[in-house]
Amino acid sequence: MTSSTPIVSKAIVTGHTRGLGAALSETLLARGFVVLGVSRTRHTSLAARFPDAVEEAEVDLADTENIEAWLGTGALQRFLRGADRVLLVNNAGTAEPIGPLDAPHAREVGRSVVLNVAAPLMLSCAFAEASKDASDRRIVHVSSGAARNAYAGWSIYCATKAALDHHARAVALGNERALRIATIAPGVVDTDMQAALRETDQAAFPSRDKFVELQRSGQLASPQQVAEKFADYLLSSKFGDAPTVDLRDLPS
């Protein structure tokens, strides 16, 4: 590749239709990336605004058979073909179920673990295999402060996010060629997830008032603000130096 050859940059973003996923997709598009959004639904307005730079795949990321079927189509390989710089942003996730250990049904727990853990790990393996020709490969799992601090009533979410942190630590030890990986905890972001926490019965989630106060006192960052700082770090030369990062600890 000569200096006059443009760098082809592509990113896969899961859960790209709303919240931080939508903001990250817009931010990467504005920075010259072609984006493949993977979610249960499509983001029609995003595709309309960037018709030549957005591809979408409707995949239920809480269903391993659905994930396997999509990966089996070769869509991931086709999307990444010819790219020099490639990203996988494992953003899709759920805070449910919330409540004491004996409250959630097994099915709810299973879908949460698949969406929050199995899907990112399955996609990471497939991405690593499909992107071997790229000179710059990066995987980021969207983590949470809940991965590093336990909350009563939130055991499933805390455990699944902690699993992503440890996955990044282990993969980083392998020194994969041209592959960088890390988790980024974005801090408290004004998303549907935050709204759902504020509406949860305090008996099921004793920390509810903390999240109510964050919203009341204006301490929630907008998805757009967070996405810009998130992308700055993800695309920087420092990404991957540490396997787990809290966005709030980075200099502005």
Side-chain angles (χ1 to χ4, degrees), residues 161-238:
K161 288 300 183 180
L164 294 182
D165 279 4
H166 217 46
H167 177 258
R169 294 184 185 105
V171 173
L173 293 174
N175 295 316
E176 303 270 353
R177 187 199 66 79
L179 176 63
R180 303 183 186 199
I181 187 169
T183 66
I184 298 178
V188 285
V189 190
D190 193 6
T191 62
D192 291 346
M193 183 181 292
Q194 283 287 327
L197 292 175
R198 295 194 298 271
E199 294 169 5
T200 302
D201 187 333
Q202 190 160 8
F205 187 53
S207 297
R208 181 183 70 88
D209 285 352
K210 171 185 176 180
F211 292 88
V212 171
E213 177 59 22
L214 287 171
Q215 193 271 340
R216 189 199 65 78
S217 59
Q219 295 184 59
L220 298 181
S222 74
Q224 292 74 24
Q225 291 172 321
V226 172
E228 290 291 342
K229 190 172 183 179
F230 192 110
D232 284 345
Y233 182 72
L234 173 57
L235 300 177
S236 75
S237 61
K238 294 182 179 180

Coordinates of all heavy atoms in Angstrom, one line a residue, residues 161-238:
K161 N -20.9 -8.4 32.7 CA -20.0 -7.4 32.4 C -18.6 -7.7 32.9 O -17.6 -7.4 32.2 CB -20.5 -6.0 32.9 CG -21.7 -5.4 32.1 CD -21.3 -5.3 30.6 CE -22.5 -4.7 29.9 NZ -22.2 -4.5 28.4
A162 N -18.5 -8.3 34.1 CA -17.2 -8.7 34.6 C -16.6 -9.8 33.7 O -15.3 -9.8 33.5 CB -17.3 -9.2 36.0
A163 N -17.4 -10.6 33.1 CA -16.9 -11.6 32.2 C -16.2 -11.0 31.0 O -15.2 -11.5 30.5 CB -18.1 -12.5 31.7
L164 N -16.8 -9.9 30.4 CA -16.2 -9.3 29.3 C -14.8 -8.6 29.7 O -13.9 -8.7 28.9 CB -17.1 -8.2 28.7 CG -18.4 -8.6 28.1 CD1 -19.2 -7.4 27.6 CD2 -18.2 -9.7 27.0
D165 N -14.8 -8.1 30.9 CA -13.5 -7.5 31.3 C -12.4 -8.6 31.3 O -11.3 -8.4 30.9 CB -13.6 -6.9 32.7 CG -14.2 -5.6 32.7 OD1 -14.6 -5.1 31.7 OD2 -14.3 -4.9 33.8
H166 N -12.8 -9.8 31.9 CA -11.8 -10.8 32.0 C -11.4 -11.4 30.6 O -10.3 -11.9 30.4 CB -12.3 -11.9 33.0 CG -11.2 -12.5 33.8 ND1 -10.3 -11.7 34.5 CD2 -10.9 -13.8 34.2 CE1 -9.4 -12.5 35.2 NE2 -9.8 -13.7 35.0
H167 N -12.4 -11.5 29.7 CA -12.1 -11.9 28.4 C -11.1 -11.1 27.7 O -10.1 -11.6 27.1 CB -13.4 -11.9 27.5 CG -13.2 -12.3 26.1 ND1 -13.2 -11.4 25.1 CD2 -13.1 -13.5 25.5 CE1 -13.0 -12.0 23.9 NE2 -12.9 -13.3 24.2
A168 N -11.2 -9.7 27.9 CA -10.2 -8.8 27.3 C -8.9 -9.0 27.9 O -7.8 -9.0 27.2 CB -10.7 -7.4 27.4
R169 N -8.8 -9.2 29.2 CA -7.5 -9.4 29.9 C -6.8 -10.7 29.3 O -5.6 -10.7 29.0 CB -7.7 -9.6 31.4 CG -8.2 -8.3 32.1 CD -8.3 -8.6 33.6 NE -8.9 -7.4 34.3 CZ -10.1 -7.4 34.8 NH1 -10.9 -8.5 34.7 NH2 -10.6 -6.3 35.4
A170 N -7.6 -11.8 29.1 CA -7.0 -13.0 28.7 C -6.6 -12.9 27.2 O -5.5 -13.4 26.9 CB -8.0 -14.2 28.9
V171 N -7.4 -12.3 26.4 CA -7.0 -12.2 25.0 C -5.8 -11.3 24.8 O -4.9 -11.6 24.0 CB -8.2 -11.7 24.1 CG1 -7.8 -11.4 22.7 CG2 -9.4 -12.6 24.1
A172 N -5.7 -10.3 25.6 CA -4.6 -9.4 25.5 C -3.3 -10.1 25.8 O -2.2 -9.7 25.3 CB -4.8 -8.2 26.4
L173 N -3.3 -11.1 26.6 CA -2.1 -11.9 26.9 C -1.6 -12.7 25.8 O -0.4 -13.1 25.7 CB -2.3 -12.8 28.1 CG -2.6 -12.1 29.5 CD1 -3.0 -13.2 30.5 CD2 -1.4 -11.3 29.9
G174 N -2.4 -12.9 24.8 CA -2.1 -13.8 23.6 C -1.3 -13.1 22.6 O -0.7 -13.8 21.7
N175 N -1.1 -11.8 22.6 CA -0.4 -11.1 21.6 C -0.8 -11.4 20.2 O 0.1 -11.8 19.3 CB 1.1 -11.3 21.8 CG 1.6 -10.7 23.1 OD1 1.3 -9.6 23.5 ND2 2.4 -11.5 23.8
E176 N -2.1 -11.4 19.9 CA -2.5 -11.7 18.5 C -2.0 -10.7 17.6 O -2.0 -9.5 17.9 CB -4.1 -11.7 18.5 CG -4.7 -12.6 19.5 CD -5.0 -14.0 19.0 OE1 -4.8 -14.1 17.7 OE2 -5.4 -14.9 19.7
R177 N -1.7 -11.1 16.4 CA -1.1 -10.2 15.4 C -2.0 -9.0 15.0 O -3.1 -9.2 14.6 CB -0.8 -11.0 14.1 CG 0.0 -10.1 13.1 CD -0.1 -10.7 11.7 NE -1.4 -10.7 11.1 CZ -2.0 -9.6 10.6 NH1 -1.3 -8.5 10.6 NH2 -3.2 -9.6 10.1
A178 N -1.5 -7.8 15.2 CA -2.2 -6.6 14.9 C -3.6 -6.5 15.5 O -4.4 -5.8 15.0 CB -2.3 -6.5 13.3
L179 N -3.8 -7.2 16.6 CA -5.1 -7.2 17.2 C -5.0 -6.6 18.6 O -4.3 -7.1 19.4 CB -5.7 -8.6 17.3 CG -7.0 -8.8 18.1 CD1 -8.1 -8.0 17.3 CD2 -7.4 -10.2 18.3
R180 N -5.8 -5.5 18.8 CA -5.9 -4.9 20.1 C -7.3 -5.1 20.6 O -8.2 -5.1 19.9 CB -5.6 -3.4 19.9 CG -4.3 -3.0 19.3 CD -4.1 -1.5 19.3 NE -2.9 -1.1 18.6 CZ -2.3 0.1 18.7 NH1 -2.8 0.9 19.6 NH2 -1.2 0.3 18.0
I181 N -7.3 -5.2 22.0 CA -8.6 -5.5 22.6 C -8.7 -4.8 23.9 O -7.7 -4.7 24.6 CB -8.9 -7.0 22.8 CG1 -10.3 -7.2 23.3 CG2 -7.9 -7.6 23.7 CD1 -10.8 -8.7 23.2
A182 N -9.8 -4.3 24.3 CA -10.1 -3.7 25.6 C -11.5 -3.6 25.9 O -12.4 -3.6 24.9 CB -9.4 -2.3 25.7
T183 N -11.9 -3.4 27.1 CA -13.3 -3.0 27.5 C -13.2 -1.6 27.9 O -12.2 -1.1 28.5 CB -13.8 -3.9 28.6 OG1 -13.1 -3.6 29.8 CG2 -13.8 -5.4 28.3
I184 N -14.3 -0.9 27.6 CA -14.4 0.5 28.0 C -15.7 0.7 28.8 O -16.8 0.4 28.2 CB -14.4 1.5 26.8 CG1 -13.1 1.4 26.0 CG2 -14.6 2.9 27.3 CD1 -13.0 2.3 24.8
A185 N -15.6 1.1 30.0 CA -16.8 1.5 30.8 C -17.1 3.0 30.5 O -16.3 3.8 30.7 CB -16.6 1.3 32.3
P186 N -18.3 3.3 29.9 CA -18.5 4.6 29.4 C -19.0 5.6 30.5 O -19.1 6.8 30.2 CB -19.6 4.4 28.4 CG -20.4 3.2 28.8 CD -19.3 2.3 29.5
G187 N -19.2 5.1 31.7 CA -19.8 6.0 32.7 C -21.3 6.0 32.7 O -21.9 5.2 32.0
V188 N -21.9 7.0 33.3 CA -23.4 7.1 33.4 C -23.9 7.9 32.2 O -23.6 9.1 32.0 CB -23.9 7.6 34.7 CG1 -23.8 6.6 35.8 CG2 -23.1 8.9 35.1
V189 N -24.6 7.2 31.3 CA -25.1 7.8 30.0 C -26.6 7.9 30.0 O -27.3 7.0 30.5 CB -24.6 7.0 28.8 CG1 -24.8 7.7 27.5 CG2 -23.1 6.6 29.0
D190 N -27.1 8.9 29.5 CA -28.6 9.2 29.4 C -29.2 8.3 28.4 O -29.4 8.7 27.2 CB -28.9 10.6 29.2 CG -30.3 11.0 29.5 OD1 -31.1 10.1 30.0 OD2 -30.7 12.1 29.2
T191 N -29.5 7.0 28.7 CA -30.0 6.1 27.8 C -31.3 5.4 28.3 O -31.7 5.7 29.5 CB -29.0 4.9 27.5 OG1 -28.7 4.3 28.7 CG2 -27.7 5.5 26.9
D192 N -31.9 4.6 27.5 CA -33.1 3.9 28.0 C -32.8 3.0 29.2 O -33.7 2.8 30.0 CB -33.7 3.0 26.8 CG -34.3 3.8 25.7 OD1 -34.5 5.1 25.9 OD2 -34.5 3.3 24.6
M193 N -31.6 2.5 29.2 CA -31.2 1.6 30.3 C -31.2 2.4 31.6 O -31.7 1.9 32.7 CB -29.8 1.0 30.1 CG -29.4 0.1 31.2 SD -27.7 -0.6 31.0 CE -27.9 -1.6 29.5
Q194 N -30.7 3.6 31.6 CA -30.8 4.5 32.8 C -32.2 4.7 33.2 O -32.6 4.7 34.4 CB -30.0 5.8 32.6 CG -28.5 5.6 32.6 CD -28.0 5.5 34.0 OE1 -28.5 6.0 35.0 NE2 -26.9 4.7 34.1
A195 N -33.1 5.0 32.3 CA -34.5 5.3 32.6 C -35.1 4.1 33.2 O -35.9 4.2 34.1 CB -35.2 5.7 31.3
A196 N -34.8 2.9 32.7 CA -35.4 1.7 33.2 C -34.9 1.4 34.7 O -35.7 1.0 35.5 CB -35.0 0.5 32.4
L197 N -33.7 1.8 35.0 CA -33.2 1.6 36.4 C -33.9 2.5 37.3 O -34.3 2.2 38.5 CB -31.7 1.9 36.4 CG -30.8 0.9 35.7 CD1 -29.3 1.4 35.8 CD2 -30.9 -0.5 36.4
R198 N -34.2 3.8 36.9 CA -34.9 4.7 37.7 C -36.4 4.3 38.0 O -37.0 4.7 39.0 CB -34.9 6.1 37.1 CG -33.5 6.7 37.0 CD -33.6 8.2 36.6 NE -34.2 8.5 35.4 CZ -33.6 8.6 34.2 NH1 -32.3 8.3 34.1 NH2 -34.3 8.9 33.1
E199 N -36.9 3.5 37.1 CA -38.3 3.1 37.3 C -38.4 1.7 38.0 O -39.5 1.2 38.2 CB -39.0 3.0 35.9 CG -39.1 4.3 35.2 CD -39.5 4.2 33.7 OE1 -39.7 3.1 33.3 OE2 -39.6 5.3 33.1
T200 N -37.3 1.1 38.3 CA -37.3 -0.2 39.0 C -37.8 -0.1 40.4 O -37.4 0.9 41.1 CB -35.9 -0.8 38.9 OG1 -35.5 -1.0 37.5 CG2 -35.9 -2.2 39.6
D201 N -38.5 -1.0 40.9 CA -38.9 -1.1 42.3 C -37.7 -1.1 43.2 O -36.8 -1.9 43.0 CB -39.8 -2.3 42.6 CG -40.4 -2.4 43.9 OD1 -39.8 -1.8 44.9 OD2 -41.4 -3.0 44.1
Q202 N -37.6 -0.2 44.2 CA -36.4 -0.2 45.0 C -36.2 -1.5 45.8 O -35.1 -1.8 46.2 CB -36.5 1.0 46.0 CG -35.2 1.2 46.7 CD -35.1 2.6 47.3 OE1 -36.0 3.4 47.3 NE2 -33.9 3.0 47.8
A203 N -37.3 -2.2 46.1 CA -37.1 -3.5 46.8 C -36.3 -4.5 45.9 O -35.6 -5.3 46.5 CB -38.5 -4.1 47.1
A204 N -36.4 -4.4 44.6 CA -35.7 -5.2 43.7 C -34.3 -4.7 43.4 O -33.4 -5.5 43.2 CB -36.5 -5.4 42.4
F205 N -34.2 -3.4 43.5 CA -32.9 -2.7 43.1 C -32.6 -1.6 44.2 O -33.0 -0.5 44.0 CB -32.9 -2.1 41.7 CG -31.6 -1.6 41.2 CD1 -30.5 -2.4 41.2 CD2 -31.5 -0.3 40.7 CE1 -29.3 -1.9 40.7 CE2 -30.3 0.2 40.2 CZ -29.2 -0.6 40.2
P206 N -32.0 -2.0 45.3 CA -31.8 -1.0 46.4 C -31.0 0.2 46.0 O -31.2 1.3 46.7 CB -31.0 -1.8 47.4 CG -31.4 -3.3 47.2 CD -31.5 -3.3 45.7
S207 N -30.2 0.2 44.9 CA -29.5 1.4 44.5 C -30.2 2.3 43.6 O -29.7 3.3 43.1 CB -28.2 0.9 43.8 OG -27.3 0.2 44.7
R208 N -31.5 2.1 43.5 CA -32.3 2.9 42.5 C -32.2 4.4 42.8 O -32.0 5.2 41.9 CB -33.8 2.5 42.6 CG -34.7 3.3 41.6 CD -36.2 2.9 41.8 NE -36.7 3.4 43.1 CZ -37.2 4.6 43.2 NH1 -37.3 5.4 42.2 NH2 -37.7 5.0 44.4
D209 N -32.2 4.8 44.1 CA -32.2 6.3 44.4 C -30.9 6.9 43.9 O -30.9 8.1 43.5 CB -32.4 6.5 45.9 CG -33.8 6.3 46.3 OD1 -34.7 6.1 45.4 OD2 -34.1 6.3 47.5
K210 N -29.8 6.2 43.9 CA -28.6 6.7 43.4 C -28.7 7.1 41.9 O -28.2 8.2 41.5 CB -27.4 5.7 43.5 CG -26.1 6.0 42.8 CD -25.1 4.9 42.9 CE -23.9 5.3 42.1 NZ -22.8 4.2 42.1
F211 N -29.4 6.3 41.1 CA -29.5 6.6 39.7 C -30.6 7.7 39.5 O -30.5 8.5 38.5 CB -29.9 5.3 39.0 CG -28.8 4.3 38.9 CD1 -28.6 3.4 39.9 CD2 -27.8 4.3 37.9 CE1 -27.5 2.5 39.9 CE2 -26.8 3.4 37.8 CZ -26.6 2.5 38.9
V212 N -31.6 7.7 40.3 CA -32.5 8.8 40.3 C -31.8 10.2 40.5 O -32.0 11.2 39.8 CB -33.7 8.6 41.3 CG1 -34.5 9.9 41.4 CG2 -34.5 7.4 40.9
E213 N -30.9 10.2 41.5 CA -30.2 11.4 41.8 C -29.2 11.8 40.7 O -29.1 13.0 40.4 CB -29.4 11.2 43.1 CG -28.6 12.4 43.6 CD -29.3 13.7 43.8 OE1 -30.6 13.6 44.0 OE2 -28.7 14.7 43.7
L214 N -28.6 10.8 40.1 CA -27.7 11.2 38.9 C -28.5 11.9 37.9 O -28.0 12.9 37.3 CB -27.1 9.9 38.4 CG -26.0 9.2 39.2 CD1 -25.7 7.8 38.6 CD2 -24.8 10.0 39.3
Q215 N -29.7 11.5 37.6 CA -30.5 12.2 36.6 C -31.0 13.5 37.0 O -30.9 14.5 36.3 CB -31.7 11.3 36.2 CG -32.4 11.7 34.9 CD -33.6 12.7 35.2 OE1 -34.0 12.7 36.3 NE2 -34.0 13.4 34.2
R216 N -31.4 13.6 38.3 CA -32.0 14.8 38.9 C -30.9 15.9 38.9 O -31.2 17.1 38.7 CB -32.5 14.5 40.3 CG -33.3 15.7 40.9 CD -33.4 15.6 42.4 NE -32.1 15.7 43.0 CZ -31.5 16.9 43.2 NH1 -32.0 18.0 42.8 NH2 -30.3 16.9 43.8
S217 N -29.7 15.5 39.2 CA -28.6 16.5 39.4 C -27.8 16.8 38.1 O -26.8 17.5 38.1 CB -27.6 16.0 40.5 OG -27.1 14.8 40.1
G218 N -28.3 16.2 37.0 CA -27.7 16.5 35.7 C -26.4 15.9 35.5 O -25.5 16.4 34.7
Q219 N -26.1 14.7 36.1 CA -24.8 14.1 36.0 C -24.8 13.0 34.9 O -23.7 12.3 34.7 CB -24.5 13.4 37.3 CG -24.2 14.4 38.4 CD -23.8 13.8 39.7 OE1 -22.7 13.1 39.8 NE2 -24.5 13.9 40.8
L220 N -25.9 12.9 34.1 CA -25.9 11.9 33.1 C -25.3 12.6 31.8 O -25.7 13.6 31.4 CB -27.3 11.4 32.8 CG -28.0 10.6 33.9 CD1 -29.3 10.2 33.4 CD2 -27.1 9.4 34.4
A221 N -24.3 11.9 31.2 CA -23.8 12.4 29.9 C -24.6 12.0 28.8 O -25.3 10.9 28.8 CB -22.3 11.9 29.7
S222 N -24.7 12.8 27.7 CA -25.4 12.4 26.5 C -24.7 11.4 25.7 O -23.5 11.3 25.8 CB -25.7 13.6 25.6 OG -24.5 14.0 25.0
P223 N -25.4 10.5 25.0 CA -24.8 9.5 24.2 C -23.8 10.1 23.2 O -22.7 9.5 23.0 CB -25.9 8.8 23.5 CG -27.1 9.0 24.4 CD -26.9 10.3 25.0
Q224 N -24.1 11.3 22.7 CA -23.2 11.9 21.7 C -21.9 12.3 22.3 O -20.8 12.1 21.7 CB -23.9 13.1 21.1 CG -25.1 12.8 20.2 CD -26.4 12.3 21.0 OE1 -26.5 12.7 22.2 NE2 -27.2 11.5 20.4
Q225 N -22.0 12.9 23.5 CA -20.8 13.3 24.2 C -19.9 12.1 24.5 O -18.6 12.2 24.3 CB -21.1 14.0 25.5 CG -21.8 15.4 25.4 CD -22.3 15.9 26.7 OE1 -22.8 15.1 27.6 NE2 -22.1 17.2 27.0
V226 N -20.5 11.1 25.0 CA -19.7 9.9 25.4 C -19.1 9.2 24.1 O -18.0 8.8 24.1 CB -20.6 8.9 26.1 CG1 -19.9 7.6 26.3 CG2 -21.0 9.5 27.5
A227 N -19.9 9.2 23.0 CA -19.4 8.6 21.8 C -18.2 9.2 21.2 O -17.3 8.6 20.7 CB -20.5 8.6 20.8
E228 N -18.1 10.6 21.3 CA -16.9 11.3 20.8 C -15.7 10.9 21.6 O -14.6 10.6 21.0 CB -17.2 12.8 20.9 CG -18.2 13.3 19.9 CD -17.7 13.2 18.4 OE1 -16.5 13.1 18.2 OE2 -18.6 13.3 17.5
K229 N -15.8 10.9 22.9 CA -14.6 10.6 23.7 C -14.3 9.1 23.6 O -13.1 8.7 23.6 CB -14.9 10.9 25.2 CG -13.7 10.8 26.1 CD -14.0 11.3 27.5 CE -12.7 11.3 28.4 NZ -13.0 11.8 29.7
F230 N -15.3 8.2 23.5 CA -15.1 6.8 23.3 C -14.3 6.5 22.0 O -13.4 5.8 22.0 CB -16.5 6.1 23.3 CG -16.5 4.6 23.4 CD1 -17.0 4.0 24.5 CD2 -16.1 3.8 22.3 CE1 -17.1 2.7 24.6 CE2 -16.1 2.5 22.4 CZ -16.6 1.9 23.5
A231 N -14.8 7.2 20.9 CA -14.1 7.0 19.6 C -12.7 7.5 19.6 O -11.8 7.0 19.0 CB -14.9 7.6 18.5
D232 N -12.5 8.7 20.3 CA -11.2 9.2 20.4 C -10.2 8.2 21.0 O -9.1 8.0 20.5 CB -11.2 10.5 21.3 CG -11.8 11.7 20.6 OD1 -11.9 11.7 19.4 OD2 -12.1 12.7 21.4
Y233 N -10.6 7.6 22.1 CA -9.7 6.6 22.7 C -9.6 5.3 21.8 O -8.5 4.8 21.7 CB -10.2 6.2 24.1 CG -9.3 5.3 24.8 CD1 -8.1 5.7 25.3 CD2 -9.7 3.9 25.0 CE1 -7.2 4.8 25.9 CE2 -8.8 3.0 25.6 CZ -7.6 3.5 26.0 OH -6.7 2.6 26.6
L234 N -10.7 4.8 21.3 CA -10.7 3.6 20.5 C -9.8 3.7 19.3 O -9.1 2.7 19.0 CB -12.2 3.3 20.1 CG -12.4 2.2 19.1 CD1 -11.8 0.8 19.6 CD2 -13.9 2.0 18.7
L235 N -9.7 4.9 18.7 CA -8.9 5.1 17.5 C -7.5 5.5 17.8 O -6.7 5.7 16.9 CB -9.6 6.0 16.6 CG -11.0 5.6 16.1 CD1 -11.6 6.7 15.2 CD2 -10.9 4.3 15.4
S236 N -7.2 5.8 19.1 CA -5.9 6.3 19.5 C -4.8 5.2 19.5 O -5.1 4.0 19.6 CB -6.0 7.0 20.8 OG -6.0 6.0 21.9
S237 N -3.6 5.6 19.6 CA -2.5 4.6 19.7 C -2.4 4.0 21.1 O -1.8 3.0 21.2 CB -1.1 5.4 19.4 OG -0.9 6.4 20.4
K238 N -3.1 4.6 22.0 CA -3.1 4.0 23.4 C -4.1 2.9 23.6 O -4.0 2.1 24.6 CB -3.4 5.1 24.4 CG -2.3 6.2 24.5 CD -2.7 7.2 25.5 CE -1.6 8.3 25.6 NZ -1.9 9.3 26.7

